[in-house]
Structures are given as C-alpha cells and as structure tokens.
Amino acid sequence: MKPFAHTSAGSVEEAVQLLAKYEGKAKLNAGGTDLLGVLKDRVLPDYPEAIINIKTIPGLNTIEECEEGISIGALTTLVDIITSPLIEKYCPLLKEAAVTVAFPQIRNIATIGGNLCQDTRCWYYRYPDKIGGMIDCFRKGGKRCPAVSGENQYHALMGAKQCFAVCPSDTAIALTALGATFTAVGAESIRTLPVNEFYTPLGNVLTPGEMITAIYIPKPSPVAGQKFLKFTLRKPIDFAIVSVASIITLDQGICTGARIVLGAVAHTPVRVLKAEEFLKGKELSEEIVAEAAEFALAKAKPLSKNAYKLEIAKTLVKRAVRGDSS
Amino acid sequence: MTPTHEIPSHPTITFTVNGEACSFIMGDGSHELPPSYTLAQTLRERLGLTGTKISCDHGACGCCTVLMDGKAVLSCMLLTVECEGKEITTIEGLGNPVTGAIDPLQQAFIDNTAFQCGFCTPGIIMSAKALLNENPSPTVEDVKEALAGNFCRCISHYHVLDAVIATVKKGGE
Amino acid sequence: MKEYRFIGKSTPRKDALDIVTGRTKFINDLTVPNMLYGKVLRSPLPHALIKNIDTGEAMRLPGVKAVLTYKDVPDWMGGLPLHVRILDSKVRYVGDAVALVAAETEDIGEEALRLIKVEYESLPAVYDVEEAIQPGAPQLYEQFPGNVLPQGIPAFGPHSLRELVIGDLEKGREEADFIVEGSYAYENIPNPLPPESPGAIAAWEGTDTLNVWSASQGPHMIKVSLQRRMGSINLHSMGTPVGASYGSKFMSWQYVLPAAALAKATDRPVKFCYGRSEHLAAFTVRLGSRIHGEVGIKKNGEVTFLSGDWLVNTGAFSETSQAMVAVGCGEVQLMLRCPNWSLKPKVVCTNRTASGQIRGFGGQELECALLPLLTMAMEKADIDPVNFFKRNYVKPGDGYYWRDGNWWVCRGIDYTKAMEQGAVRFGWKDKWKGWLKPSSVKGVKRRGIGVGVHGNADVGEDVSEAYVRLDPNGTATIYSGLAEHGTGQRSNICKMVAEILQLPLDRVSVTPNDSRVNPYEMGPVGSRGTYAIGSAVIAAAEDAKRQLFEQIAPKFAVKPEDLETEDGMVYVKGKPGTGIPWIKGMDYDRTVMGRGRFEPDFALPNFMMIFTEVEVDTETGKVELLRVVGATDVGQIIDPPGIVNQLNGCLGSAGIDSALFEETVIDTQLGRIMNPNMIDYKWRTFAELPEMEHVILETPIPSHRFHAIGVGEIATSPGPSAILMAVTNALGVRIHDYPLTPDKVLSALGKINTAKRRVK
C-alpha cells in the first residue's frame, strides 16, 4: 500500500479533532475490512494523507439496554452483535442481517459502524487502478455512470439518476426496518440521524469531520415478527443482490403493522410505505401478499441487465412477509 | 503527497507472535516498519513466517488467516501498527513448542490428505483451530460455517471436513 | 487382484508435514539475495498503438533500477505460432503489458508505474468471435488477416490434427431419422484461478546462463521451450511446489520472460509475481467456444453424422490454442462414436485477455458447446442420455484420429460397467422421467438431473524420462522433473518405486525439481502422471533393481533373476534367511543408477462420467447443486485419498461451477474485466457443498506395471454440460447459456425478457 501517516485516537474527541486537522484528507479506520481494499486498489483519485485508528477508543463497543431501546456502540463487532442476547431478544432481524455479512474472519473484526459507512461495491467504482487505471465515474466526480450502458446486473433498480451504485450494507437494511437512529459526532457538533435519512446518492450525510459513535434502536413491539432475507449467488462472502427486512405485526391473523425495507435496490435502504399501508388491516393471503410485493416494486425501473433483481425482490418481499426462512 | 509525520501514533509497536514478543520502530526508513504494512506483510517479509499466505490480499479468501487473541482474523486486512499488545498465532505457532509435536488438527490433515496443492491449507487450519478453541465439539455444519470464507480451489473441502471432525472425535475420546 | 504393499493403500503424502506446518516454500515465499521486484504497467485500452512513452520520471524515483518499454526489451517471443512480444508497440487488451519496472521494493515499483507517461492512439476493439472474422473488423495482428490464426502445432508433428473430416456427410444425412441444428456456446471464459498467482524469479549467470525458479506445472518445459527462443542460452529451470495450476501454469513464458528481461537489464535477480487482480484480469482464461452445428441421429441413438463450424475465441493471443483444438477434436470422437464428421475449427483473436491451457484442454470447451445440440438430438430420438453415452462412448477396437493426425485404435477398457454402476449409485433410473421433465416438483422448487461424459487419450502423451539411484544404505532416489501441483504425484511415484524395490516409503525420495539434475520431463498434464511419468519411473526402478542384482548375484553364486529384495536386504528367492543388506552387496562406494523412458502412446482413452442433480427455485431463478456422482475406471488406484480429492475437484477450477456461477464479466464498451477480485468472481465455498460420491472401478490395464491409468485432469470436463441438462429438465424448457445465473433462468421461464442472447 502507498504510505500514509497513521495515528490512533484515544477518544472520540481526539478522533474528530484529527479529522478536522487533516481537513478531509484523513480516513477513520475501524475494522479496516472495507477501507484497506479501497486503499490497496487505489480506487479513488485522492489518497488519504493519514489513517486514524479508532479501535483504540474505549467504550464504543458495548450493547446496552435502556428503557425504550437498545444502544450499540459504533465499534461493536458484527460477531458481538450476532452473539448478543439483547439483540437476539429485541431485534433478531439485526442478527439475521449481521450473520449474512461476509464470513467469520471478517465478522470478528468488522464493526457495525464500519458496515454502515462502507463504500459501495459498484465494480466500476471499485475497479483496481493496477489494471489500466481506475474507471472514472459520476461518483468520483466524473460526468457519467458507466454502469447505465454497461454491466449493471448488480446496480440500482430505483431512485437513481446519476450514480446507479447501491448501498451495500446489510445491517443498514435491518436498522431501517427497526427505525434506528445514529449519533454522529463532529468537532463542534453532535447530531442524531435517522437511518432513513443517512444515505445520499453518492454516499452519506456525514461531513468529512464527523464519525458515527452509536446506533440507537427503539424497542420494537414484542409481538411483531421480524425477518431479514438476502439473495446472493453464494451464501457466504457475497454482497446482497437484493435483500428485504420486514417487521410484521399480526392480530388474530390480521396485519396491524408492517415495515418493509428493500436492500441493494438503491443508494439507500428503501422503505416501501405503499406496500406497508396496503397490508394493514388485511389477512395475509397469498394474493394480498403478492399484491403488496407488486406495490413494493412499483417504482422500479430496471436497467438493461438487472430486471431479474425486480423479480427476486418481489419474491423476497412475499417470503419475508410470510415469514419464510429463505 | 507527502505523508504527515506530526503525530506519530506508535513510535514503536509491540505484539507477540507465537508467544514471542516482537517490536518494530514505525516509520518509512529502511529499517523501520511503514504504517501501511499489513500484518500479513510483516509476518512474511519481516519475520520470515511465510506459512501465512497471501492470495487475494483483499479479505476474500482466508489464505492469510491467523489467530489474534484466539480469534480467526485476516492478516491481509489488518494494519500491523494497529496490532499493539495483541497475541498473534500463525501456522508456525501451532503444536507443542517444547516437544515439537504438531497439533492434533495438523496430524488429522495429514492422516486425511486434507489438501491438494496445500497453498490454502495454513489458512484453513487456522480457521478450524479458531473454531475448535471456541467450540471443541462442533458439528459438520459448524465447521462449514467456520470455513465459509476459506478458498480452496482444488476442492479438498470434503477431506478437510473429515479431518476436522476426526480431530473433534479424537479430542472427545 | 494382486495385493500390494503401497499401491492402492492410503499413505500420507510425502510433503504432508511441510504443507500442514506452513513450511512448504511456494514461489512467493522465496527470496534470492540482492533480489529486485518486477512490476508491469498495464494498458487502459483494449486496442491501441503506443505513440509515445516517457519513462524519465519513473527512472528517477529512488529505488527504481530499470524501466523497460517495447523499445528496449529483448526480442523474445511467446505464443503459437510465435507472435507475442514481451512488450509491443501495440496493446491488444486492457491489462496488456506496456512497460516493465524493476525496483527495490514492491511499493516503489508500483509507484514508478504511475510515473510512466504513455500516449496512445486508440483503435477500435472487437470481442465477439464472429464479429472478429467479419471483413472490416479491427485487426489484432498484421500477419493474421481476419484475426484467424494458422492451424497446427509443430510439437504434435507435421500432421497435427487441424480439423475432423471423416466419412461421408451425405450418407450420414440419409441414414438419420432426425437431424437437428443450432448454435451453442461455452463462452463465459472462467478462470481456473489457482490460489497462488503465477510468478517466477530470474537470475543471470554471465550472459548465457539463466536460472529460473518458477511455479510451473512443467518446469522442464520452460527450459526446453524458452532457451532456444532466448538466443540459445542455457536455462536452468527450478520448479517450486505449485499452489495449484489446473493447467494454467504449464509453459508460462508470460511471467518468466519479463522477469528474465528485467534481470538482464539490472544484472540482478528479479522476482515477478502476479497480483490477484492481475491474475484475474490479465492472465489466461478458458477458451471461448462456439458451435454452429448439425447432427443426425437414428431412433436407436446411433449418431450418423456431425458437422459444424467450431469458432474458438482465444483472446489477445494464442498460448497454445491450436493444440487444444487438436486435442478437443480427438476427445470429441471418444465421447461420440460417429462414422461421418465435418468439424472445422477456427482459432480467432479478440481484444480480451488471452485464453490458455486449462484442464479439459479443448475437449471440455468443445463438448460444453456441442452438448446442447446432442441433447436435442437425443430428445428427438427419445433416448435416455445414459444409454446414449453407453452406446456411443469409444470401445476397445474403435479408432479415432488423435492430436498427431494419426489414426489410433483403442486398446483400453470398456467403460460400460463404470457407466452402469455410476447410474445405479446415482439412482438414475428412478429419477429420470424423460426429456424436459423434472425428477420432482415441490412448490416453486423443481429438481432435475443431467449427465455428462468425457475422455482423453493423452494419458500416454509425450516423453518422460527418469532415473532411479540406489544407495548402499538402502535408499532410492528418483530423478524426475515432475512438478507437485496438488495431485500428490511426487508421492505416488515414490509409492511405485517403493513397491518395486520393496523399500519402506520413507526410504524413497525425489530430487529437487532442477533441470540440471533431472532428465527430460514433459510434466504432469493430460492425466499422464500415472501412466506416462509413472511408467518412466517404474522402468528406471526396474532397471536399477536389475543392475543391483547383477552386482550382487556373484556373491550368492546365483543368477540375477534368482534374487529378490525387501527393506534394503537382498536374498535368494524363497530363502529370506540368506539376506544381506545392499551395502554388503554393493559396497559403500558404489551406487546404482537405473534409467527409464516412456514413449508416447495414444491408444488408451480414460473416462469420466458425471451425474448431477439440481434444484431450481423458479421464483428467484437460483440453481442449487444438490448432488454429484462421478464414475470412472482407473485400472488400479494408486492412492485412494488422492484420487478422491482429484475427482472432487470437478466443482472448482473452471469445472461444474462454470455452468452455475463462474464467469469472467467483460464490459465491452470499456474492454475491461469487471470482476477481477475474489468477491465478484464467484467460487465455491465450504458453506455450499453438494453431496459428492464417486464410483471408481479397477479393471486392470495390462500395459502398466500396476495396471493403472490417470484420470485427474478430466474431472472437471463432463460437469458443465450435465448441469445444463439437469436445469433444462428441471425447468421443462431448454436453457443453454453458461453460467445459469438467476437472470438467465428467469428469462428462460419467461419471467423477464431482457437477458441477452450471446450467440448470434
């Protein structure tokens, strides 16, 4: 890897001060499982001057219960989320999502904060500089997105205008269904960001001087059924082709509450309110569920090679709402 | 772009590898360890521990798996400078250092010919070792899950599963 | 059957301890004092002329010792016929080499690449094999008009097989009850992707001696093939253990020549190892294979003719594609007894990374494209594919043209029993419901079965030589240039020698793989390890034993043939009590050197059948491989765990999984490979293993000392087409486009209508 300066932060305060000092030319490193790949491939035109290790910040790796919710430190590893009794009890959906991420060695080191802030996997964006140079694209400040007329089998189905990359985070999909919020700390600010407002077409709303320190999840209704389904070519390693998170509340067979979120179809997790509304007050027959799936994907506009994702997304919505195991 | 050196994070870094303490002076000088060095690079190039393999170098194949404080991690995706105080175990560190006897897991790999080209074998053994440390009696499904990120292109998977399960059975006797 | 002491017994691999302790030194684990690192600047364009190249700034970077461009590399050539320079003034694929750098560290080398300034004149590029042969298509090489490479390969002799023209097509047409035609392809160019990327270290001694350490499946062939091309130098080739190859690292000038050029320019040893993205984007992939064909079949399953154009896409150059075409044309005759043929191959260059040799060597590529056509014919005739293959697989006494262009008559074994037992183990009869019929349906999931077959008569290809030296202390040393690339063959030749000399296995070893030490060895390719290499080693051991007995016989006052040896003792047959140790017979200051040579013989086809069962989710289009049963007959198993390992290899290295999810994805607007990493290039994981079983019969092969032939290479070959058949049957609709990813399955089911058709 090309050299960089390196420093370890002992506190959040120190980390954000360092970020401020480097004026956007430093990157935070937690698990490193995403960042190091970006650096090794020289994916971006700008190479960071410094890497700030935040694993050394104490107290950011705990999962705690408070009266109305669960608070997760941003440095909590995915394996700690998977094995947490609190997560299992209140938000099994998040566990289901976390366990689909990569494979054990990655989950042992990757953090929830890192999973939420990881860069997109778009293969144009990620193309290694070594093989003829990086590929210019809209996300890197270029004029166009080469995926639109290229190999777009893994790209966005909806909501994209200039960059068709999708949000790769599995936990973000689960957290959107759970209505989580993030705490973002900057040198002179602390913000609470709802997850559904976090992702932007080219990344996220964090300023270069901010970091996520915690994730807060309001306790969901204990009677609601939670589900996370992820479609990939292979069970381990792969990023989602499509994923769906759902929280369905039934009262005597009638749907009284529904939250359905689609993953890997857009730059952000997509909550499909129309489908949710449609389900409420209804008995979840095959026909109703199928109709809800149609509503969920009504806004999809497939590219040349990703229409199959639309079909899979509909199927996953149906299966998640029904509570199927795969 | 010149790297900034104003805030040296660890002028020296110390961790243990296979029970022995290692210290490096961090820096870009010829006898220093650059902060951009991954743990895999340090193990292979500075410590001569070439049993840890680099295949994809991007955290997607498990060939560089080592144990860090007992857990399986990918040494190609860890900066050495961030390993301060950690206990690292590599394939060379398995077995009994006093008697020189190899680990029962390694013996089971020999007995079951649980490899073909052998390039991925150290990483596979380290992943399996981490599993057995945590769960001495895993099921076949547990083993498959623990090794889900370990590449093996020759398809020695079936014999690897036999070897790990044989170790479990032997350990239970 | 004869009971052996080592042959057929499970014994630990000789190299097992080194492998499991991490002590095995692969090429990238080696360093040579004073060594530099080689790096390659790679082209951003698929087709372009280099108008200007400025290396000044790169040269000035501290730690950089050489920067080479097309203007200053030696004129050493690669390719078949020789047509590829190490660096050229023209680039022909994204990733093609533009400049070479040697530097003190890898990081410095990579930084230097970024300082080289290149001006290109971009040329139009072509990727599709048929577009490439159209008039007016971009031309990759002046000397190959229409992008068509000359056929034939000198190494296979003056009549090397260029096409398959046999019998009378018209007669075949008249005799056919059904004739089907169509165009099918196997063009997803999977990468065999051994875990160790290719690499070499080169170091010159003076100007005419070059030492090369390399990860090569045929290290001796690096010497033989390259030293003449490099100006009649003397090349010493040292082979390291190979972190797998699957054919791809056989005679790889692609990494040896750049290392040698940099070493020459700097007068220092240079290591040049591909990185993983380079391995995936700029090293060799499978051939692209497309057939426009026609086949006639009788109601009884007899094939009356087969005709077609076989278009072979070799990418930016031919490593050895004409050889693969020759072998492919041979292999298709083993799979399919047919009196009338007209198969016309064309090897075509296009602007993507080159195709090279991979296990299956032409035959897999040809048959994977051909099988959809054959299955349509079988469907018309309503014949069960197992019965079809049983009827049509080559039998003893049948003839075929092999790669040398000669007509060979099969004196191997009849594989009908293996097919039948495989079918029984798989439960074929119960599951086979007819063409386009699933074996079972449960909700949205449909299961189907398929079968494929492949054979190769290369088990006896090419020459091998070996020596066996006996030392007075009761040890035997095998001198062989055999590379260990995962098959355990170096252990297996020890087992063969131990068996002949009745020595404990730990008293038999093999010399380091060094061309200064060992005689000629082609290498363990084409499943030739057991039969060809094994026979050379066996002959050397027998020769050594004969000499040993000749030396010792006078001491017993008997004839040499009256002696026997066991565990380093010699005794008169039937009188073990008369034994003396070798040292007493030979004296401490004598050794015995036995010599063995194997001469080529193409009369022994091997055989592999693969049965597969899949489950297709008709809502998501996902295909899951549930079960694989392999069936073969190897005469005699040498090493039971070794052969099972090799047959299990049918999934990976561009085998079965190349029908399921493996593919190299190219953006044809940019000419770039989009998945040069191990997340986006899909490979099989521990988490998703199908049930796997093999039926391995042992019908003795008389012409081998232990009655054995090899089969490892072809384990991958029958699988992909078996998967197509299984999914076609599961869905009840024909699907032909490898790999069967969800988009294609949903498209075949009519659920989406955007999937492209690749074959025009």
Side-chain angles (χ1 to χ4, degrees):
Chain A
M1 254 179 296
K2 185 184 169 178
F4 43 71
H6 184 275
T7 182
S8 290
S11 65
V12 172
E13 206 171 34
E14 194 186 342
V16 294
Q17 277 170 4
L18 283 164
L19 281 176
K21 179 180 147 59
Y22 278 101
E23 296 174 332
K25 288 173 182 163
K27 291 270 185 193
L28 299 182
N29 189 35
T33 54
D34 181 53
L35 178 65
L36 264 56
V38 171
L39 298 183
K40 287 179 182 191
D41 281 338
R42 301 286 285 264
V43 165
L44 297 173
D46 296 322
Y47 194 83
E49 274 180 33
I51 297 300
I52 302 162
N53 177 19
I54 54 171
K55 286 191 287 291
T56 40
I57 301 176
L60 285 191
N61 61 349
T62 54
I63 303 173
E64 283 163 2
E65 180 176 5
C66 50
E67 204 168 311
E68 289 169 347
I70 310 292
S71 179
I72 305 172
L75 291 173
T76 306
T77 59
L78 295 178
V79 72
D80 284 344
I81 285 176
I82 291 163
T83 53
S84 158
L86 277 176
I87 300 292
E88 172 87 58
K89 183 176 171 193
Y90 292 109
C91 28
L93 175 60
L94 180 60
K95 176 188 168 171
E96 284 177 33
V99 87
T100 69
V101 175
F103 51 93
Q105 292 98 309
I106 296 271
R107 297 195 294 265
N108 281 341
I109 197 94
T111 64
I112 179 90
N115 188 263
L116 293 168
C117 295
Q118 67 184 304
D119 219 335
T120 182
R121 301 304 306 188
C122 167
W123 52 20
Y124 291 93
Y125 181 76
R126 288 256 177 183
Y127 186 87
D129 188 64
K130 263 176 210 164
I131 317 294
M134 66 167 199
I135 295 177
D136 189 34
C137 74
F138 192 84
R139 200 179 181 91
K140 292 177 192 165
K143 287 205 170 64
R144 56 182 283 269
C145 170
V148 175
S149 53
E151 296 298 314
N152 51 41
Q153 43 269 57
Y154 300 137
H155 287 80
L157 272 182
M158 49 178 76
K161 287 194 179 73
Q162 287 149 321
C163 165
F164 285 75
V166 299
C167 171
S169 169
D170 294 312
T171 59
I173 313 306
L175 290 171
T176 304
L178 290 162
T181 54
F182 305 155
T183 305
V185 177
E188 283 159 16
S189 69
I190 296 184
R191 295 198 283 166
T192 299
L193 303 167
V195 55
N196 60 335
E197 293 170 17
F198 184 69
Y199 295 98
T200 61
L202 301 183
N204 60 48
V205 299
L206 292 181
T207 64
E210 278 182 313
M211 67 177 277
I212 290 188
T213 57
I215 294 104
Y216 174 79
I217 305 169
K219 283 182 187 170
S221 154
V223 295
Q226 302 182 14
K227 203 78 227 167
F228 178 82
L229 297 178
K230 171 171 162 180
F231 185 85
T232 51
L233 288 183
R234 301 175 300 173
K235 267 186 235 160
I237 303 171
D238 286 4
F239 288 86
I241 289 176
V242 179
S243 66
V244 171
S246 69
I247 303 177
I248 304 289
T249 314
L250 292 177
D251 188 2
Q252 297 180 338
I254 304 297
C255 176
T256 56
R259 291 174 78 99
I260 302 170
V261 180
L262 304 179
V265 298
H267 67 269
T268 176
V270 176
R271 205 175 146 196
V272 286
L273 296 167
K274 240 182 156 179
E276 292 177 1
E277 275 313 308
F278 175 77
L279 286 174
K280 277 180 205 159
K282 295 197 176 71
E283 205 170 325
L284 300 186
S285 67
E286 274 299 308
E287 293 71 29
I288 293 296
V289 172
E291 213 171 324
E294 293 296 331
F295 275 118
L297 275 301
K299 286 186 182 157
K301 281 189 198 136
L303 297 164
S304 56
K305 291 179 181 176
N306 71 356
Y308 76 104
K309 286 182 59 160
L310 193 156
E311 279 304 306
I312 292 168
K314 285 184 201 165
T315 298
L316 257 52
V317 169
K318 285 191 283 182
R319 290 180 183 180
V321 170
R322 291 196 307 240
D324 294 359
S325 58
S326 65
Chain B
M1 220 179 296
T2 337
T4 317
H5 291 284
E6 293 165 8
I7 318 164
S9 107
H10 294 284
T12 64
I13 164 109
T14 303
F15 52 97
T16 70
V17 177
N18 302 331
E20 289 187 30
C22 299
S23 286
F24 291 99
I25 299 169
M26 303 307 298
D28 296 325
S30 58
H31 297 287
E32 296 170 333
L33 191 79
S36 59
Y37 252 48
T38 62
L39 179 61
Q41 274 178 298
T42 304
L43 292 171
R44 290 174 53 82
E45 296 171 21
R46 297 298 171 97
L47 299 174
L49 297 172
T50 54
T52 299
K53 302 300 175 202
I54 296 177
S55 178
C56 80
D57 202 26
H58 279 67
C61 75
C63 287
C64 66
T65 302
V66 299
L67 306 188
M68 186 164 80
D69 295 341
K71 278 192 172 164
V73 296
L74 301 172
S75 60
C76 81
M77 297 304 266
L78 281 168
L79 295 175
T80 313
V81 64
E82 298 185 358
C83 293
E84 174 70 32
K86 301 290 186 190
E87 281 182 27
I88 308 295
T89 308
T90 70
I91 187 76
E92 291 92 343
L94 294 189
N96 186 324
V98 180
T99 64
I102 58 172
D103 190 276
L105 184 61
Q106 291 170 307
Q107 187 60 48
F109 271 65
I110 295 176
D111 296 342
N112 288 275
T113 314
F115 51 82
Q116 289 176 65
C117 76
F119 191 88
C120 311
T121 310
I124 291 172
I125 290 178
M126 295 316 285
S127 295
K129 188 68 194 168
L131 170 72
L132 296 181
N133 284 347
E134 208 163 281
N135 176 6
S137 46
T139 62
V140 175
E141 289 309 309
D142 294 335
V143 181
K144 287 180 178 173
E145 174 55 29
L147 298 178
N150 282 89
F151 184 56
C152 165
R153 192 63 164 166
C154 300
I155 313 293
S156 301
H157 304 64
Y158 297 89
H159 288 195
V160 166
L161 295 175
D162 290 346
V164 179
I165 294 300
T167 313
V168 171
K169 285 188 179 150
K170 236 180 188 166
E173 271 167 17
Chain C
M1 196 182 295
K2 193 174 171 205
E3 189 61 26
Y4 294 112
R5 184 170 165 190
F6 304 106
I7 300 296
K9 300 285 163 57
S10 295
T11 52
R13 280 253 301 258
K14 300 274 287 183
D15 50 355
L17 184 63
D18 282 350
I19 284 176
V20 303
T21 53
R23 289 200 288 257
T24 303
K25 296 285 183 220
F26 294 94
I27 184 67
N28 209 5
D29 301 333
L30 296 180
T31 52
V32 172
N34 207 27
M35 186 178 88
L36 298 169
Y37 295 86
K39 292 285 166 191
V40 180
L41 178 67
R42 298 195 175 277
S43 167
L45 297 171
H47 201 186
L49 297 172
I50 297 173
K51 300 313 282 184
N52 195 20
I53 185 160
D54 177 359
T55 61
E57 204 180 332
M59 263 319 288
R60 286 191 291 275
L61 186 70
V64 172
K65 297 296 165 190
V67 182
L68 301 181
T69 71
Y70 72 92
K71 294 171 190 166
D72 37 34
V73 285
D75 200 21
W76 302 327
M77 306 289 281
L80 181 67
L82 294 177
H83 60 289
V84 193
R85 298 192 67 206
I86 305 172
L87 299 172
D88 201 354
S89 58
K90 191 181 193 192
V91 289
R92 296 177 177 85
Y93 63 98
V94 172
D96 202 351
V98 174
L100 304 176
V101 167
E104 296 284 359
T105 71
E106 297 206 61
D107 284 344
I108 294 171
E110 285 186 4
E111 216 42 51
L113 297 180
R114 304 172 69 85
L115 301 176
I116 300 171
K117 294 183 187 70
V118 191
E119 280 171 42
Y120 298 96
E121 179 188 326
S122 183
L123 300 170
V126 64
Y127 306 98
D128 182 88
V129 69
E130 259 155 296
E131 286 169 19
I133 54 176
Q134 294 305 316
Q139 299 291 298
L140 273 77
Y141 298 89
E142 267 176 34
Q143 67 269 42
F144 305 137
N147 296 313
V148 178
L149 283 160
Q151 281 281 39
I153 161 168
F156 290 180
H159 310 297
S160 65
L161 199 58
R162 291 164 167 79
E163 59 181 18
L164 213 49
V165 178
I166 307 174
D168 178 352
L169 277 194
E170 279 317 304
K171 186 162 171 276
R173 251 178 237 286
E174 281 162 22
E175 287 172 3
D177 292 320
F178 307 100
I179 293 175
V180 294
E181 65 173 319
S183 299
Y184 302 99
Y186 179 53
E187 301 185 301
N188 45 316
I189 52 171
N191 193 311
L193 199 59
E196 172 204 50
S197 290
I201 300 172
W204 289 86
E205 283 176 29
T207 54
D208 63 352
T209 301
L210 175 65
N211 296 313
V212 173
W213 294 261
S214 72
S216 170
Q217 202 175 330
H220 202 90
M221 298 311 290
I222 287 181
K223 173 184 179 66
V224 173
S225 66
L226 296 188
Q227 60 189 6
R228 256 177 54 206
R229 291 186 219 165
M230 298 173 78
S232 294
I233 61 156
N234 190 17
L235 195 158
H236 300 318
S237 178
M238 275 73 72
T240 56
V242 187
S245 165
Y246 320 116
S248 66
K249 296 177 190 160
F250 182 53
M251 280 190 273
S252 294
W253 47 268
Q254 293 102 307
Y255 47 96
V256 174
L257 294 182
L262 287 170
K264 199 171 186 78
T266 56
D267 203 19
R268 286 173 65 176
V270 172
K271 180 195 269 189
F272 169 46
C273 291
Y274 278 61
R276 181 90 329 188
S277 54
E278 290 177 296
H279 187 171
L280 277 154
F283 199 59
T284 44
V285 292
R286 264 205 196 285
L287 290 176
S289 169
R290 190 184 296 182
I291 289 273
H292 300 301
E294 203 179 0
V295 62
I297 192 170
K298 286 190 191 173
K299 282 178 187 153
N300 64 4
E302 202 179 318
V303 177
T304 62
F305 79 97
L306 196 150
S307 73
D309 292 319
W310 180 22
L311 295 171
V312 174
N313 186 340
T314 186
F317 58 80
S318 164
E319 188 189 49
T320 183
S321 299
Q322 297 91 328
M324 297 171 72
V325 162
V327 172
C329 284
E331 287 175 339
V332 72
Q333 300 165 79
L334 305 183
M335 181 191 74
L336 197 65
R337 293 202 289 184
C338 169
N340 306 303
W341 291 88
S342 172
L343 186 65
K344 306 271 181 132
K346 209 173 254 182
V347 179
V348 180
C349 290
T350 59
N351 294 106
R352 60 142 170 94
T353 193
S355 293
Q357 63 185 63
I358 300 174
R359 66 195 294 189
F361 202 76
Q364 177 172 331
E365 291 90 340
L366 172 57
E367 290 164 9
C368 283
L370 193 59
L371 249 296
L373 192 61
L374 288 175
T375 58
M376 277 174 27
M378 292 181 223
E379 186 194 338
K380 287 251 186 198
D382 195 23
I383 184 166
D384 177 320
V386 175
N387 292 335
F388 177 87
F389 289 135
K390 257 162 57 179
R391 171 183 196 107
N392 290 308
Y393 197 78
V394 68
K395 306 280 186 301
D398 289 343
Y400 47 83
Y401 284 106
W402 200 249
R403 65 177 214 190
D404 55 0
N406 292 327
W407 182 254
W408 290 80
V409 175
C410 170
R411 56 172 172 80
I413 47 187
D414 186 338
Y415 291 106
T416 305
K417 201 165 83 178
M419 297 189 214
E420 286 171 348
Q421 293 200 14
V424 168
R425 180 77 65 88
F426 182 75
W428 180 267
K429 257 191 186 154
D430 289 339
K431 291 183 170 154
W432 176 256
K433 313 285 186 202
W435 286 102
L436 301 183
K437 293 195 176 73
S439 46
S440 67
V441 179
K442 198 174 166 191
V444 298
K445 304 214 169 154
R446 298 166 75 93
R447 292 186 175 188
I449 58 170
V451 61
V453 71
H454 185 86
N456 184 0
D458 275 345
V459 299
E461 69 177 343
D462 297 292
V463 172
S464 283
E465 290 182 332
Y467 310 147
V468 170
R469 190 182 86 203
L470 308 184
D471 277 38
N473 66 345
T475 58
T477 307
I478 306 169
Y479 289 64
S480 167
L482 167 60
E484 182 53 70
H485 63 115
T487 62
Q489 202 60 252
R490 275 171 77 87
S491 279
N492 287 353
I493 59 172
C494 291
K495 291 174 80 159
M496 295 177 197
V497 169
E499 193 71 51
I500 287 165
L501 299 169
Q502 287 298 302
L503 282 177
L505 204 43
D506 61 4
R507 310 291 276 177
V508 183
S509 60
V510 189
T511 51
N513 207 323
D514 185 333
S515 64
R516 286 168 299 190
V517 177
N518 303 315
Y520 181 88
E521 176 51 67
M522 162 78 174
V525 295
S527 299
R528 66 188 294 283
T530 300
Y531 193 80
I533 300 172
S535 293
V537 171
I538 287 163
E542 297 279 18
D543 184 37
K545 189 162 97 170
R546 181 185 55 75
Q547 293 181 49
L548 176 75
F549 290 169
E550 277 173 7
Q551 277 192 27
I552 298 180
K555 299 213 167 163
F556 285 96
V558 296
K559 285 186 267 178
E561 53 269 33
D562 294 332
L563 291 176
E564 195 53 271
T565 179
E566 190 172 336
D567 293 331
M569 303 285 284
V570 175
Y571 55 90
V572 179
K573 270 182 190 162
K575 296 181 188 166
T578 60
I580 58 168
W582 288 3
I583 193 164
K584 285 217 168 147
M586 298 167 74
D587 289 335
Y588 77 94
D589 53 0
R590 304 279 194 283
T591 57
V592 163
M593 187 70 113
R595 287 159 194 273
R597 177 180 292 132
F598 176 83
E599 298 288 352
D601 168 7
F602 297 115
L604 285 175
N606 63 6
F607 161 80
M608 188 75 221
M609 187 170 237
I610 295 271
F611 299 86
T612 61
E613 181 171 17
V614 300
E615 182 175 89
V616 187
D617 183 328
T618 54
E619 282 189 332
T620 62
K622 184 159 177 170
V623 180
E624 191 183 347
L625 177 59
L626 300 175
R627 186 151 176 260
V628 175
V629 171
T632 186
D633 192 332
V634 298
Q636 164 72 51
I637 293 171
I638 305 294
D639 186 58
I643 189 169
V644 173
N645 259 334
Q646 275 192 277
L647 297 189
N648 288 345
C650 64
L651 296 172
S653 56
I656 284 180
D657 290 340
S658 66
L660 289 164
F661 44 68
E662 278 193 31
E663 62 179 326
T664 298
V665 178
I666 299 179
D667 177 313
T668 52
Q669 294 183 78
L670 302 171
R672 298 200 181 205
I673 288 174
M674 296 316 303
N675 56 345
N677 64 69
M678 287 181 64
I679 296 174
D680 293 318
Y681 189 92
K682 306 300 179 190
W683 43 274
R684 184 158 300 264
T685 72
F686 271 92
E688 293 173 295
L689 295 174
E691 280 180 50
M692 175 90 68
E693 286 179 81
H694 306 290
V695 172
I696 307 171
L697 301 186
E698 296 178 277
T699 306
I701 302 278
S703 53
H704 185 268
R705 170 72 163 73
F706 301 114
H707 315 297
I709 56 167
V711 74
E713 183 228 340
I714 62 168
T716 53
S717 302
S721 60
I723 296 286
L724 278 201
M725 192 192 289
V727 175
T728 292
N729 288 331
L731 298 181
V733 292
R734 290 217 158 256
I735 181 164
H736 302 304
D737 203 356
Y738 301 91
L740 300 173
T741 43
D743 52 331
K744 291 174 192 149
V745 172
L746 291 173
S747 172
L749 288 168
K751 298 197 174 182
I752 55 170
N753 53 13
T754 55
K756 60 186 171 169
R757 252 184 85 68
R758 292 185 180 192
V759 179
K760 292 184 183 114

